[in-house]
Amino acid sequence: MTVLITGTSRGIGAGLADAYRARGEDVIGTTRSGDWSLDVTDPDSQTALSLRLQGRPIDLLVCNAGVYLDKGHSLDAGYDSALWADTFATNVTGVFLTIKSLLPNLQAAQNGKIAIISSTMASSERAPGGSYIYRASKAAVLNLGRNLAADLRPQGVAVGIYHPGWVITDMGGAAADITVDEAVQGLVARFDDLSMATTGAFETWDGRPHAY
């Protein structure tokens, strides 16, 4: 199986890449610079990667690359417009561009899968306030995943959207609930279970349906 994971320089992305390599899978882990270079916000970078992978089946695409630029901002002094643009460019548009550019590879795999890393902060039912930019971007990518699941169903490409847990990473912070290894173990199980029967589902790392 060939697995392509975006954003593997650290955190959950690096953990997922290690887990799949340990399982003997063929892993392509992208970073902004390195052997597999990809800036998800840059159409030229997307084109370069798709040309490099032309004709190569991808069984699982994990859209993991993301940013949390408004962490700790206050409503009266934070959330400037540039942060909105930069966050959505990575967390939403970047996911769409990656899926669009690699869709031929997923189709070539027959029964290819797409896993989108969203967040519990995408939920409209659970809205405690704050982190407006990040929350809005994760809600948008959840909506994107749900709609892609509908459009890609006839092509046999399943799409799942996942909350990875509150993970002890640079983004999650030291006070988070679970380790990277715990999150990765759960996510890999979720990706294994993803099928046309569950396409469009929004789930937690440990297999629970998530509130929208």
Side-chain angles (χ1 to χ4, degrees):
M1 181 172 80
T2 298
V3 182
L4 191 147
I5 307 165
T6 65
T8 58
S9 62
R10 59 184 178 177
I12 295 170
L16 285 168
D18 289 343
Y20 279 112
R21 289 190 184 104
R23 209 165 78 165
E25 311 294 3
D26 182 13
V27 177
I28 299 168
T30 74
T31 57
R32 286 180 178 267
S33 60
D35 292 341
W36 289 99
S37 169
L38 176 65
D39 178 348
V40 297
T41 70
D42 182 1
D44 290 337
S45 181
Q46 294 278 5
T47 298
L49 180 64
S50 65
L51 288 173
R52 186 175 175 186
L53 292 169
Q54 192 168 24
R56 183 171 175 178
I58 293 174
D59 300 281
L60 172 63
L61 169 61
V62 183
C63 295
N64 167 74
V67 295
Y68 186 179
L69 303 180
D70 61 322
K71 188 174 184 178
H73 278 227
S74 61
L75 184 56
D76 58 342
Y79 306 107
D80 65 81
S81 59
L83 293 185
W84 284 91
D86 291 345
T87 300
F88 271 72
T90 298
N91 293 1
V92 186
T93 309
V95 172
F96 178 77
L97 292 176
T98 302
I99 293 170
K100 183 179 180 182
S101 67
L102 297 177
L103 186 55
N105 307 85
L106 291 157
Q107 293 166 330
Q110 301 181 356
N111 302 315
K113 302 179 185 182
I114 300 168
I116 297 173
I117 303 300
S118 181
S119 170
T120 191
M121 294 168 78
S123 175
S124 297
E125 297 180 28
R126 301 177 182 177
S131 298
Y132 303 114
I133 302 175
Y134 185 76
R135 290 183 191 278
S137 73
K138 289 302 185 180
V141 84
L142 169 59
N143 183 275
L144 173 64
R146 296 274 290 171
N147 282 283
L148 283 169
D151 284 339
L152 296 179
R153 178 183 288 275
Q155 301 177 38
V157 177
V159 182
I161 309 100
Y162 302 94
H163 166 51
W166 186 18
V167 187
I168 302 169
T169 61
D170 290 344
M171 184 182 291
D177 292 333
I178 61 173
T179 66
V180 169
D181 286 345
E182 288 174 303
V184 164
Q185 183 178 5
L187 288 171
V188 168
R190 303 288 75 73
F191 304 163
D192 284 345
D193 289 343
L194 177 60
S195 69
M196 297 311 301
T198 59
T199 190
F202 182 29
E203 296 179 337
T204 63
W205 64 281
D206 53 354
R208 292 171 290 136
H210 200 293
Y212 291 96

